[in-house]
Amino acid sequence: MNTMKVGIVGCGNIATDLCLAVQKGDIPARIAALSDIDTARAEALRDAHAPEAVVCDLDANAASVDFIVECAAADAVETVVDAAIRHRKDCLLLSVGGLLACPELVARAREHHVNVRVPAGALCGLDGIRAAREGGLESVTLTTRKPPRGLEGAPYLVERGIDLSGIEEPKVVFEGSPLDACKAFPKNINVAAALSHFGIGPHKTRVCVIADPAAQTNSHEVRAEGAFGVLTARTENLPSPRNPKSSYLASLSAVAELRVAAESFEASQKE
């Protein structure tokens, strides 16, 4: 029986967590290829946690594996999906914000019988949002609250000269759509894209980002109203051990999706 060969595109924090999870041996998969615009970073990940992987470009990666995982950046999403379509490989997109700029990607992949998986990331309650959509959703709002240091360097703050280092009380730093939120905070608010994907889309979903000096965790609160009633889901995330700007649950969500894909692949090999 063939174990699912996985190709990772983007060799940063989440890629490392995926490699560590596969190393444990209870996911029926192996990391076979690594790609990154910084070849040295891909080689470092290979040497540390994926000794059997080949470091190569995206096209060679997609051609040689059974499943592709994108954990690079939003601007890489379209090229990864194009490669997945070209080589007829299913894929997992972690930079969900990339789908906001190219909303036709999932439909295009489906036309070519390629399955694009989207993880819940650092957000809970998306199963309820997806179910509620079937009956009609009237409103969906995401309120994200983070320590100021977790928002440092965000384009939105830099462009406006917003300094959060000395704030003493919670400060609303952004209100708008997931489309604008993902541009404003590309490394902080990927959950907004996931929420809009599972819910009522990027134009109707509302996002509020709060910098809170008293916050000890990254928290996300979803409130949705519709024919089903009212849903409120709050997630308080601890930061990733290696990246304070990313929630650990985002990595765990990627691992869970990889496990489902690998187990499905394993089952298909038995048929």
Side-chain angles (χ1 to χ4, degrees), residues 202-263:
H203 298 289
K204 296 181 179 179
T205 306
R206 306 311 297 165
V207 179
C208 175
V209 179
I210 300 172
D212 186 349
Q216 300 298 311
T217 63
N218 300 326
S219 70
H220 304 292
E221 182 172 307
V222 176
R223 179 179 173 84
E225 298 183 17
F228 74 99
V230 177
L231 177 153
T232 302
R234 180 180 174 85
T235 312
E236 294 193 8
N237 293 294
L238 293 176
S240 169
R242 284 174 298 278
N243 183 1
K245 294 183 180 180
S246 177
S247 297
Y248 188 34
L249 188 59
S251 289
L252 298 179
S253 176
V255 172
E257 288 290 340
L258 179 61
R259 183 185 299 279
V260 170
E263 290 174 350

Short mmCIF file of all heavy atoms in Angstrom, two decimals, residues 202-263:
data_model
loop_
_atom_site.label_atom_id
_atom_site.label_comp_id
_atom_site.label_asym_id
_atom_site.label_seq_id
_atom_site.Cartn_x
_atom_site.Cartn_y
_atom_site.Cartn_z
N PRO A 202 -17.18 37.45 1.71
CA PRO A 202 -16.32 38.52 2.21
C PRO A 202 -16.94 39.92 2.20
O PRO A 202 -16.41 40.82 2.83
CB PRO A 202 -15.12 38.46 1.25
CG PRO A 202 -15.69 37.92 -0.02
CD PRO A 202 -16.74 36.92 0.41
N HIS A 203 -18.04 40.10 1.50
CA HIS A 203 -18.63 41.43 1.42
C HIS A 203 -19.65 41.67 2.54
O HIS A 203 -19.84 42.81 2.98
CB HIS A 203 -19.31 41.63 0.07
CG HIS A 203 -18.35 41.55 -1.08
ND1 HIS A 203 -17.41 42.53 -1.33
CD2 HIS A 203 -18.16 40.60 -2.03
CE1 HIS A 203 -16.69 42.19 -2.40
NE2 HIS A 203 -17.13 41.02 -2.84
N LYS A 204 -20.28 40.61 3.01
CA LYS A 204 -21.31 40.76 4.05
C LYS A 204 -20.77 40.51 5.46
O LYS A 204 -21.34 41.00 6.44
CB LYS A 204 -22.47 39.80 3.76
CG LYS A 204 -23.21 40.11 2.46
CD LYS A 204 -24.36 39.13 2.27
CE LYS A 204 -25.13 39.43 0.99
NZ LYS A 204 -26.23 38.47 0.77
N THR A 205 -19.71 39.75 5.59
CA THR A 205 -19.11 39.48 6.90
C THR A 205 -18.43 40.75 7.42
O THR A 205 -17.81 41.49 6.65
CB THR A 205 -18.08 38.35 6.78
OG1 THR A 205 -18.69 37.20 6.18
CG2 THR A 205 -17.52 37.96 8.15
N ARG A 206 -18.54 40.98 8.70
CA ARG A 206 -17.91 42.16 9.31
C ARG A 206 -16.81 41.72 10.27
O ARG A 206 -16.93 40.70 10.95
CB ARG A 206 -18.94 43.02 10.08
CG ARG A 206 -20.15 43.43 9.26
CD ARG A 206 -19.79 44.03 7.91
NE ARG A 206 -19.02 45.25 8.05
CZ ARG A 206 -18.34 45.80 7.04
NH1 ARG A 206 -18.32 45.21 5.85
NH2 ARG A 206 -17.67 46.92 7.23
N VAL A 207 -15.75 42.53 10.34
CA VAL A 207 -14.58 42.21 11.16
C VAL A 207 -14.20 43.40 12.02
O VAL A 207 -14.17 44.55 11.54
CB VAL A 207 -13.37 41.83 10.27
CG1 VAL A 207 -12.14 41.52 11.14
CG2 VAL A 207 -13.71 40.64 9.38
N CYS A 208 -13.90 43.13 13.28
CA CYS A 208 -13.38 44.15 14.19
C CYS A 208 -12.11 43.60 14.84
O CYS A 208 -12.09 42.47 15.34
CB CYS A 208 -14.42 44.47 15.27
SG CYS A 208 -13.86 45.62 16.55
N VAL A 209 -11.04 44.41 14.80
CA VAL A 209 -9.76 44.00 15.40
C VAL A 209 -9.45 44.94 16.56
O VAL A 209 -9.45 46.17 16.40
CB VAL A 209 -8.61 44.04 14.38
CG1 VAL A 209 -7.30 43.63 15.03
CG2 VAL A 209 -8.92 43.12 13.19
N ILE A 210 -9.18 44.35 17.72
CA ILE A 210 -8.91 45.13 18.93
C ILE A 210 -7.53 44.78 19.46
O ILE A 210 -7.18 43.60 19.62
CB ILE A 210 -9.96 44.83 20.02
CG1 ILE A 210 -11.37 45.17 19.52
CG2 ILE A 210 -9.63 45.59 21.31
CD1 ILE A 210 -12.48 44.73 20.47
N ALA A 211 -6.72 45.80 19.72
CA ALA A 211 -5.45 45.62 20.42
C ALA A 211 -5.70 45.85 21.90
O ALA A 211 -6.21 46.90 22.30
CB ALA A 211 -4.41 46.61 19.90
N ASP A 212 -5.37 44.83 22.71
CA ASP A 212 -5.70 44.89 24.13
C ASP A 212 -4.45 44.59 24.95
O ASP A 212 -3.96 43.46 24.96
CB ASP A 212 -6.79 43.87 24.45
CG ASP A 212 -7.29 43.98 25.89
OD1 ASP A 212 -6.66 44.69 26.70
OD2 ASP A 212 -8.32 43.34 26.20
N PRO A 213 -3.89 45.59 25.66
CA PRO A 213 -2.67 45.36 26.43
C PRO A 213 -2.85 44.37 27.58
O PRO A 213 -1.87 43.81 28.08
CB PRO A 213 -2.32 46.76 26.96
CG PRO A 213 -3.62 47.50 26.95
CD PRO A 213 -4.38 46.97 25.77
N ALA A 214 -4.08 44.13 27.98
CA ALA A 214 -4.34 43.16 29.07
C ALA A 214 -4.53 41.75 28.55
O ALA A 214 -4.58 40.80 29.33
CB ALA A 214 -5.57 43.60 29.86
N ALA A 215 -4.63 41.59 27.25
CA ALA A 215 -4.88 40.27 26.67
C ALA A 215 -3.67 39.36 26.83
O ALA A 215 -2.54 39.76 26.55
CB ALA A 215 -5.25 40.40 25.20
N GLN A 216 -3.92 38.15 27.26
CA GLN A 216 -2.86 37.15 27.39
C GLN A 216 -2.92 36.12 26.27
O GLN A 216 -2.01 35.30 26.12
CB GLN A 216 -2.99 36.43 28.75
CG GLN A 216 -2.87 37.34 29.95
CD GLN A 216 -1.53 38.01 30.04
OE1 GLN A 216 -0.49 37.36 29.92
NE2 GLN A 216 -1.52 39.33 30.25
N THR A 217 -3.99 36.16 25.48
CA THR A 217 -4.18 35.22 24.39
C THR A 217 -4.68 35.97 23.15
O THR A 217 -5.09 37.13 23.25
CB THR A 217 -5.22 34.13 24.75
OG1 THR A 217 -6.50 34.77 24.97
CG2 THR A 217 -4.81 33.36 25.98
N ASN A 218 -4.64 35.29 22.01
CA ASN A 218 -5.31 35.78 20.82
C ASN A 218 -6.72 35.22 20.84
O ASN A 218 -6.90 33.99 20.83
CB ASN A 218 -4.59 35.29 19.56
CG ASN A 218 -3.15 35.75 19.48
OD1 ASN A 218 -2.81 36.83 19.94
ND2 ASN A 218 -2.29 34.92 18.93
N SER A 219 -7.73 36.08 20.88
CA SER A 219 -9.10 35.58 20.97
C SER A 219 -9.91 35.99 19.74
O SER A 219 -9.69 37.06 19.17
CB SER A 219 -9.79 36.07 22.24
OG SER A 219 -10.06 37.46 22.18
N HIS A 220 -10.82 35.12 19.35
CA HIS A 220 -11.71 35.37 18.23
C HIS A 220 -13.13 35.04 18.67
O HIS A 220 -13.39 33.93 19.15
CB HIS A 220 -11.35 34.50 17.02
CG HIS A 220 -9.93 34.64 16.58
ND1 HIS A 220 -9.43 35.79 16.02
CD2 HIS A 220 -8.89 33.77 16.63
CE1 HIS A 220 -8.15 35.62 15.72
NE2 HIS A 220 -7.80 34.41 16.08
N GLU A 221 -14.03 35.99 18.50
CA GLU A 221 -15.43 35.74 18.83
C GLU A 221 -16.29 35.90 17.59
O GLU A 221 -16.24 36.93 16.91
CB GLU A 221 -15.91 36.69 19.92
CG GLU A 221 -17.36 36.43 20.33
CD GLU A 221 -17.80 37.23 21.52
OE1 GLU A 221 -17.11 37.17 22.57
OE2 GLU A 221 -18.83 37.92 21.43
N VAL A 222 -17.05 34.87 17.29
CA VAL A 222 -17.95 34.87 16.14
C VAL A 222 -19.38 34.99 16.64
O VAL A 222 -19.78 34.30 17.58
CB VAL A 222 -17.81 33.57 15.32
CG1 VAL A 222 -18.83 33.54 14.17
CG2 VAL A 222 -16.40 33.44 14.76
N ARG A 223 -20.13 35.88 16.01
CA ARG A 223 -21.56 35.97 16.30
C ARG A 223 -22.30 35.93 14.97
O ARG A 223 -21.99 36.68 14.04
CB ARG A 223 -21.92 37.26 17.04
CG ARG A 223 -23.42 37.39 17.33
CD ARG A 223 -23.75 38.65 18.08
NE ARG A 223 -25.20 38.84 18.21
CZ ARG A 223 -25.95 38.29 19.15
NH1 ARG A 223 -25.39 37.52 20.06
NH2 ARG A 223 -27.26 38.50 19.20
N ALA A 224 -23.25 35.01 14.88
CA ALA A 224 -24.02 34.86 13.65
C ALA A 224 -25.50 34.78 13.98
O ALA A 224 -25.90 34.20 15.00
CB ALA A 224 -23.59 33.59 12.90
N GLU A 225 -26.31 35.37 13.11
CA GLU A 225 -27.76 35.33 13.27
C GLU A 225 -28.38 34.88 11.95
O GLU A 225 -27.90 35.23 10.87
CB GLU A 225 -28.30 36.70 13.67
CG GLU A 225 -27.78 37.21 14.99
CD GLU A 225 -28.40 38.54 15.37
OE1 GLU A 225 -29.45 38.90 14.80
OE2 GLU A 225 -27.83 39.23 16.24
N GLY A 226 -29.45 34.10 12.07
CA GLY A 226 -30.12 33.63 10.87
C GLY A 226 -31.39 32.88 11.20
O GLY A 226 -31.89 32.94 12.34
N ALA A 227 -31.88 32.15 10.24
CA ALA A 227 -33.13 31.40 10.43
C ALA A 227 -33.01 30.37 11.53
O ALA A 227 -34.01 29.99 12.15
CB ALA A 227 -33.52 30.72 9.11
N PHE A 228 -31.80 29.91 11.81
CA PHE A 228 -31.56 28.88 12.83
C PHE A 228 -31.64 29.44 14.23
O PHE A 228 -31.86 28.71 15.21
CB PHE A 228 -30.17 28.26 12.62
CG PHE A 228 -29.06 29.18 13.06
CD1 PHE A 228 -28.45 29.04 14.29
CD2 PHE A 228 -28.65 30.23 12.24
CE1 PHE A 228 -27.45 29.91 14.69
CE2 PHE A 228 -27.65 31.10 12.63
CZ PHE A 228 -27.04 30.94 13.86
N GLY A 229 -31.37 30.75 14.39
CA GLY A 229 -31.28 31.36 15.70
C GLY A 229 -30.03 32.22 15.79
O GLY A 229 -29.69 32.93 14.85
N VAL A 230 -29.31 32.14 16.92
CA VAL A 230 -28.11 32.93 17.15
C VAL A 230 -26.97 32.01 17.58
O VAL A 230 -27.16 31.12 18.42
CB VAL A 230 -28.33 34.00 18.24
CG1 VAL A 230 -27.04 34.77 18.50
CG2 VAL A 230 -29.44 34.95 17.83
N LEU A 231 -25.82 32.21 16.99
CA LEU A 231 -24.63 31.43 17.35
C LEU A 231 -23.56 32.38 17.86
O LEU A 231 -23.28 33.41 17.25
CB LEU A 231 -24.11 30.68 16.12
CG LEU A 231 -22.81 29.85 16.24
CD1 LEU A 231 -22.82 28.70 15.25
CD2 LEU A 231 -21.55 30.71 16.01
N THR A 232 -22.96 32.04 19.00
CA THR A 232 -21.81 32.77 19.52
C THR A 232 -20.73 31.77 19.86
O THR A 232 -20.98 30.82 20.61
CB THR A 232 -22.17 33.58 20.78
OG1 THR A 232 -23.23 34.50 20.47
CG2 THR A 232 -20.95 34.37 21.26
N ALA A 233 -19.55 31.96 19.30
CA ALA A 233 -18.44 31.05 19.56
C ALA A 233 -17.19 31.87 19.85
O ALA A 233 -16.82 32.76 19.07
CB ALA A 233 -18.19 30.14 18.35
N ARG A 234 -16.55 31.59 20.97
CA ARG A 234 -15.35 32.33 21.36
C ARG A 234 -14.18 31.36 21.51
O ARG A 234 -14.29 30.34 22.19
CB ARG A 234 -15.58 33.08 22.68
CG ARG A 234 -14.37 33.88 23.16
CD ARG A 234 -14.68 34.59 24.46
NE ARG A 234 -13.51 35.25 25.01
CZ ARG A 234 -13.13 36.49 24.65
NH1 ARG A 234 -13.84 37.17 23.77
NH2 ARG A 234 -12.05 37.03 25.20
N THR A 235 -13.08 31.69 20.87
CA THR A 235 -11.87 30.88 20.94
C THR A 235 -10.76 31.73 21.52
O THR A 235 -10.47 32.82 21.01
CB THR A 235 -11.45 30.40 19.53
OG1 THR A 235 -12.57 29.87 18.84
CG2 THR A 235 -10.37 29.34 19.63
N GLU A 236 -10.10 31.25 22.57
CA GLU A 236 -8.96 31.93 23.15
C GLU A 236 -7.72 31.10 22.85
O GLU A 236 -7.54 30.01 23.38
CB GLU A 236 -9.14 32.14 24.65
CG GLU A 236 -10.28 33.09 24.99
CD GLU A 236 -10.27 33.54 26.43
OE1 GLU A 236 -9.28 33.25 27.14
OE2 GLU A 236 -11.25 34.19 26.86
N ASN A 237 -6.89 31.63 21.97
CA ASN A 237 -5.75 30.87 21.47
C ASN A 237 -4.44 31.27 22.13
O ASN A 237 -4.14 32.47 22.26
CB ASN A 237 -5.60 31.11 19.96
CG ASN A 237 -6.74 30.54 19.16
OD1 ASN A 237 -6.92 29.34 19.11
ND2 ASN A 237 -7.53 31.41 18.55
N LEU A 238 -3.66 30.28 22.48
CA LEU A 238 -2.29 30.54 22.88
C LEU A 238 -1.45 30.66 21.61
O LEU A 238 -1.73 30.01 20.61
CB LEU A 238 -1.75 29.40 23.75
CG LEU A 238 -2.42 29.25 25.12
CD1 LEU A 238 -1.86 28.03 25.84
CD2 LEU A 238 -2.20 30.50 25.96
N PRO A 239 -0.43 31.51 21.63
CA PRO A 239 0.40 31.67 20.43
C PRO A 239 1.23 30.42 20.15
O PRO A 239 1.50 29.62 21.05
CB PRO A 239 1.29 32.87 20.76
CG PRO A 239 1.34 32.89 22.26
CD PRO A 239 0.00 32.40 22.72
N SER A 240 1.60 30.26 18.91
CA SER A 240 2.48 29.17 18.53
C SER A 240 3.80 29.30 19.28
O SER A 240 4.30 30.41 19.49
CB SER A 240 2.74 29.21 17.02
OG SER A 240 3.77 28.32 16.67
N PRO A 241 4.40 28.18 19.70
CA PRO A 241 5.67 28.25 20.44
C PRO A 241 6.78 28.95 19.67
O PRO A 241 7.70 29.52 20.25
CB PRO A 241 6.00 26.76 20.67
CG PRO A 241 4.70 26.06 20.63
CD PRO A 241 3.88 26.81 19.61
N ARG A 242 6.69 28.92 18.31
CA ARG A 242 7.77 29.50 17.50
C ARG A 242 7.39 30.83 16.83
O ARG A 242 8.24 31.46 16.20
CB ARG A 242 8.21 28.51 16.42
CG ARG A 242 9.06 27.37 16.92
CD ARG A 242 9.34 26.38 15.83
NE ARG A 242 8.10 25.77 15.34
CZ ARG A 242 7.49 24.75 15.94
NH1 ARG A 242 8.01 24.23 17.03
NH2 ARG A 242 6.37 24.25 15.46
N ASN A 243 6.12 31.23 16.93
CA ASN A 243 5.70 32.45 16.24
C ASN A 243 4.58 33.12 17.02
O ASN A 243 3.43 32.69 16.96
CB ASN A 243 5.23 32.11 14.82
CG ASN A 243 4.85 33.34 14.03
OD1 ASN A 243 4.96 34.47 14.52
ND2 ASN A 243 4.41 33.15 12.81
N PRO A 244 4.87 34.21 17.73
CA PRO A 244 3.86 34.87 18.56
C PRO A 244 2.71 35.49 17.76
O PRO A 244 1.67 35.80 18.31
CB PRO A 244 4.65 35.95 19.31
CG PRO A 244 5.84 36.21 18.46
CD PRO A 244 6.18 34.88 17.84
N LYS A 245 2.90 35.66 16.44
CA LYS A 245 1.86 36.26 15.60
C LYS A 245 0.88 35.20 15.08
O LYS A 245 -0.10 35.54 14.42
CB LYS A 245 2.49 37.02 14.44
CG LYS A 245 3.29 38.23 14.88
CD LYS A 245 3.85 38.99 13.70
CE LYS A 245 4.64 40.20 14.16
NZ LYS A 245 5.19 40.97 13.02
N SER A 246 1.15 33.94 15.34
CA SER A 246 0.30 32.86 14.86
C SER A 246 -0.24 32.06 16.04
O SER A 246 0.48 31.83 17.03
CB SER A 246 1.09 31.94 13.93
OG SER A 246 0.31 30.84 13.50
N SER A 247 -1.48 31.65 15.97
CA SER A 247 -2.07 30.84 17.04
C SER A 247 -1.72 29.37 16.84
O SER A 247 -1.70 28.86 15.71
CB SER A 247 -3.60 31.00 17.03
OG SER A 247 -3.96 32.34 17.31
N TYR A 248 -1.47 28.69 17.94
CA TYR A 248 -1.10 27.28 17.87
C TYR A 248 -2.21 26.45 17.24
O TYR A 248 -1.97 25.48 16.52
CB TYR A 248 -0.78 26.77 19.28
CG TYR A 248 -0.20 25.38 19.33
CD1 TYR A 248 0.64 24.90 18.32
CD2 TYR A 248 -0.49 24.53 20.41
CE1 TYR A 248 1.16 23.63 18.38
CE2 TYR A 248 0.04 23.26 20.46
CZ TYR A 248 0.87 22.80 19.46
OH TYR A 248 1.38 21.53 19.52
N LEU A 249 -3.46 26.86 17.47
CA LEU A 249 -4.59 26.12 16.92
C LEU A 249 -4.57 26.13 15.39
O LEU A 249 -5.06 25.19 14.76
CB LEU A 249 -5.91 26.70 17.43
CG LEU A 249 -7.18 25.92 17.08
CD1 LEU A 249 -7.12 24.49 17.64
CD2 LEU A 249 -8.42 26.63 17.61
N ALA A 250 -3.99 27.17 14.78
CA ALA A 250 -3.88 27.20 13.32
C ALA A 250 -3.03 26.04 12.83
O ALA A 250 -3.37 25.39 11.83
CB ALA A 250 -3.28 28.53 12.87
N SER A 251 -1.94 25.77 13.53
CA SER A 251 -1.10 24.62 13.17
C SER A 251 -1.83 23.31 13.41
O SER A 251 -1.79 22.39 12.58
CB SER A 251 0.19 24.63 14.00
OG SER A 251 1.06 25.68 13.59
N LEU A 252 -2.53 23.22 14.53
CA LEU A 252 -3.25 21.98 14.85
C LEU A 252 -4.37 21.73 13.86
O LEU A 252 -4.66 20.58 13.50
CB LEU A 252 -3.81 22.06 16.27
CG LEU A 252 -2.75 22.21 17.38
CD1 LEU A 252 -3.44 22.31 18.75
CD2 LEU A 252 -1.77 21.05 17.36
N SER A 253 -5.01 22.80 13.37
CA SER A 253 -6.05 22.66 12.36
C SER A 253 -5.46 22.10 11.06
O SER A 253 -6.06 21.25 10.41
CB SER A 253 -6.70 24.01 12.10
OG SER A 253 -7.65 23.93 11.05
N ALA A 254 -4.26 22.57 10.71
CA ALA A 254 -3.59 22.06 9.51
C ALA A 254 -3.26 20.59 9.66
O ALA A 254 -3.44 19.79 8.73
CB ALA A 254 -2.33 22.87 9.24
N VAL A 255 -2.79 20.21 10.84
CA VAL A 255 -2.47 18.81 11.11
C VAL A 255 -3.72 17.94 11.01
O VAL A 255 -3.70 16.85 10.42
CB VAL A 255 -1.82 18.65 12.50
CG1 VAL A 255 -1.67 17.17 12.87
CG2 VAL A 255 -0.46 19.35 12.53
N ALA A 256 -4.83 18.42 11.58
CA ALA A 256 -6.07 17.66 11.54
C ALA A 256 -6.55 17.46 10.10
O ALA A 256 -7.01 16.37 9.73
CB ALA A 256 -7.15 18.37 12.36
N GLU A 257 -6.46 18.50 9.27
CA GLU A 257 -6.87 18.39 7.87
C GLU A 257 -5.96 17.43 7.11
O GLU A 257 -6.42 16.64 6.27
CB GLU A 257 -6.85 19.76 7.20
CG GLU A 257 -7.96 20.69 7.64
CD GLU A 257 -9.32 20.25 7.13
OE1 GLU A 257 -9.38 19.48 6.17
OE2 GLU A 257 -10.33 20.69 7.72
N LEU A 258 -4.67 17.48 7.40
CA LEU A 258 -3.73 16.56 6.75
C LEU A 258 -4.04 15.12 7.15
O LEU A 258 -4.00 14.21 6.30
CB LEU A 258 -2.30 16.91 7.15
CG LEU A 258 -1.21 16.00 6.55
CD1 LEU A 258 -1.23 16.05 5.03
CD2 LEU A 258 0.17 16.39 7.09
N ARG A 259 -4.40 14.91 8.41
CA ARG A 259 -4.74 13.57 8.86
C ARG A 259 -5.97 13.03 8.11
O ARG A 259 -5.97 11.89 7.64
CB ARG A 259 -5.01 13.57 10.36
CG ARG A 259 -5.32 12.18 10.94
CD ARG A 259 -5.70 12.26 12.41
NE ARG A 259 -4.64 12.83 13.22
CZ ARG A 259 -3.60 12.14 13.66
NH1 ARG A 259 -3.49 10.84 13.38
NH2 ARG A 259 -2.68 12.72 14.41
N VAL A 260 -7.00 13.86 7.96
CA VAL A 260 -8.21 13.44 7.25
C VAL A 260 -7.87 13.10 5.80
O VAL A 260 -8.32 12.08 5.26
CB VAL A 260 -9.28 14.53 7.31
CG1 VAL A 260 -10.45 14.20 6.38
CG2 VAL A 260 -9.80 14.70 8.74
N ALA A 261 -7.07 13.95 5.16
CA ALA A 261 -6.70 13.70 3.77
C ALA A 261 -5.91 12.41 3.63
O ALA A 261 -6.13 11.61 2.71
CB ALA A 261 -5.90 14.88 3.23
N ALA A 262 -4.97 12.18 4.55
CA ALA A 262 -4.13 10.99 4.49
C ALA A 262 -4.95 9.72 4.74
O ALA A 262 -4.75 8.69 4.08
CB ALA A 262 -3.00 11.09 5.50
N GLU A 263 -5.87 9.78 5.68
CA GLU A 263 -6.70 8.61 5.97
C GLU A 263 -7.65 8.31 4.81
O GLU A 263 -7.91 7.15 4.50
CB GLU A 263 -7.46 8.82 7.28
CG GLU A 263 -6.53 8.81 8.50
CD GLU A 263 -7.24 9.15 9.79
OE1 GLU A 263 -8.42 9.60 9.73
OE2 GLU A 263 -6.62 8.99 10.87
#
